[in-house]
Amino acid sequence: MLNIFDDSSSKFCNQVSRRNFIKIGAFGLGGLNLPQLLKAEQQTGKINSHKSIIMIYLPGGPPHQDMYDIKMDAPVEIRGEFSPIATNVPDIRISEQLPRIARLADKCVFVNSLVGSIGQHASFQCMTGHSSNNQPAGGWPELGSALSHLKGDPRATSPAYVNLSPQMQHTPYNFGKNSFLGMSHTPFNPNGEMKGDMTLNGITLDRLKDRKSLLRSFDQFRRDADNSGAMQGLDSFNEQAFGVLTSGRLVEALDVSKEDPAVRDRYGKGTSRKQGDAAPRLNEQFLLARRLVEAGARVVTLSYSFWDWHGSNFKHARENFPDFDQAITALIEDLHQRGMAEDTTVIAWGEFGRTPMINNNGGRDHWPRVCNALLACGGMKTGQVIGTTDRLGGEAENRPVHFQEVFATLYRNMGIDVQQVTLPDHAGRPQYLVDSGYHPLPEVI
């Protein structure tokens, strides 16, 4: 990782505060290849446009039956404390705690019958679409890494894959890991912590014009890292890091203080305090994601709050739902108003759902048999619910939707045919993006 400081004043030369210094992940500046890009776009009819994805991970597993699938006919010990309200789409009703989403339901897709969860308290399945068991050598790549490989532009001065998540206490929640695609396709993370941090002592942004000084500053880091074999692709990193730092485009995107105050107010603040053993409830991450997409990122991921509510489920919901409601709707509205809705797909989901039965502590426990997801934009047919659960909200009753179908849809929205495009693993064998038999959701096409 690369930390650039300006010791001459309280701000960088581009007026970004020293406290907001940029950390460039040495292994996170993906987008070094363009394999199969033209073929993939031609097959789907989406030609050379800047498609992107914003993925909002809700660590811990949100309570699906208290959000978009309230069961008023269930006993009170299952139904809970919330009532459904009407939305701006006839016959769609969601939680009274999500009134902004209700007013924007025509721009959303509610997947209420998501199945296939492997039941792990981890981000892996949300990020890769795959089980963490029986992986190919090197491990499955995350969505952002795959799209960095397939859609990244080696001339870009913004990374293809950006991960805004902080380091979370529960280790399996964290993502941004290496895979068989190599370190050059792991994400740039301005908030993360990586081993082998490097500080370019004495190198300010003004002095970055001197390429020789920059490269000399890498020398010790190169030797140390080469000893562990970790610096495969360092030359590509050098080129990309230098381009990013000298362009200022990424720096500008990360500085939300430059955004219109009225827009910032629409997104709200949330709280910077970490929730449980997961992430803060930072609404401005949603705004930052939009700014990064505008700056050229193909995939932006973020983690929002903590949803593992084994106790006081409804108290926690009343604290979290309003902030989430404000942030996600501000993002969707912003994308539509800026003409970005056709090209930018938004998805918000967690690793599993919660038990129908409320426990003795007023909470809901882990329930991998069914969960939900919220999709928006991306050129999809919105204003609909896909799938239903049974009377108790415990099983997918109609139209179960597998995690891999959602991934097939995300790839399709990026202009990629999952039946044709493959990724080369460590041995050079082609690996399909999703398993055989899974296709994009026909309902949204």
Side-chain angles (χ1 to χ4, degrees), residues 12-63:
F12 290 136
C13 59
N14 59 5
Q15 299 304 304
V16 177
S17 169
R18 289 178 63 188
R19 290 176 297 179
N20 295 325
F21 62 86
I22 301 304
K23 297 179 180 178
I24 301 298
F27 313 130
L29 298 169
L32 303 175
N33 295 297
L34 291 172
Q36 303 165 312
L37 174 57
L38 295 178
K39 178 182 177 182
E41 289 188 333
Q42 184 178 30
Q43 287 169 338
T44 59
K46 298 187 177 185
I47 307 300
N48 200 31
S49 55
H50 184 78
K51 303 292 180 180
S52 57
I53 295 171
I54 296 173
M55 182 179 288
I56 299 139
Y57 172 53
L58 306 176

Side-chain angles (χ1 to χ4, degrees), residues 168-358:
M168 291 178 274
Q169 181 181 341
H170 181 60
T171 303
Y173 288 153
N174 296 308
F175 47 94
K177 299 178 177 65
N178 195 18
S179 68
F180 63 63
L181 290 178
M183 293 178 178
S184 60
H185 296 293
T186 52
F188 161 59
N189 186 343
N191 302 311
E193 298 175 2
M194 296 175 65
K195 294 181 180 179
D197 280 8
M198 175 190 59
T199 299
L200 298 183
N201 293 321
I203 302 296
T204 66
L205 291 180
D206 287 334
R207 294 181 60 192
L208 284 176
K209 295 177 181 178
D210 184 351
R211 183 177 178 82
K212 291 182 180 179
S213 295
L214 175 64
L215 294 179
R216 278 199 301 269
S217 299
F218 278 113
D219 286 347
Q220 185 59 48
F221 183 64
R222 178 194 293 268
R223 288 194 295 272
D224 292 344
D226 279 349
N227 289 335
S228 66
M231 286 310 294
Q232 181 181 4
L234 177 63
D235 290 339
S236 296
F237 163 65
N238 287 350
E239 294 287 342
Q240 185 91 347
F242 185 71
V244 166
L245 290 167
T246 54
S247 76
R249 191 177 184 190
L250 180 63
V251 177
E252 288 287 319
L254 289 168
D255 187 3
V256 295
S257 69
K258 296 184 181 299
E259 189 67 52
D260 183 341
V263 174
R264 294 181 69 181
D265 288 343
R266 279 172 50 198
Y267 280 83
K269 296 295 184 183
T271 175
S272 60
R273 180 172 57 84
K274 281 196 175 183
Q275 306 295 297
D277 58 5
R281 199 167 63 242
L282 282 175
N283 286 26
E284 283 198 338
Q285 280 193 320
F286 291 68
L287 172 57
L288 192 53
R290 187 268 290 164
R291 291 174 60 84
L292 286 163
V293 166
E294 285 182 312
R298 289 290 195 169
V299 177
V300 181
T301 53
L302 62 93
S303 297
Y304 189 75
S305 198
F306 168 74
W307 305 80
D308 191 22
W309 304 335
H310 291 277
S312 304
N313 177 81
F314 301 99
K315 173 181 178 293
H316 291 305
R318 288 184 174 94
E319 294 170 351
N320 282 268
F321 283 1
D323 283 340
F324 174 72
D325 191 37
Q326 181 173 3
I328 191 74
T329 53
L331 174 61
I332 295 168
E333 288 176 325
D334 211 359
L335 292 173
H336 277 276
Q337 290 171 4
R338 291 173 178 271
M340 299 170 64
E342 183 73 18
D343 290 337
T344 305
T345 303
V346 176
I347 178 169
W349 59 354
E351 62 264 33
F352 45 60
R354 313 302 295 191
T355 53
M357 182 69 71
I358 300 166

Side-chain angles (χ1 to χ4, degrees), residues 136-141 178-183 423-427 429 431-432:
W140 288 114
N178 195 18
S179 68
F180 63 63
L181 290 178
M183 293 178 178
L423 299 170
D425 65 16
H426 276 326
R429 293 184 297 263
Q431 297 284 349
Y432 281 96

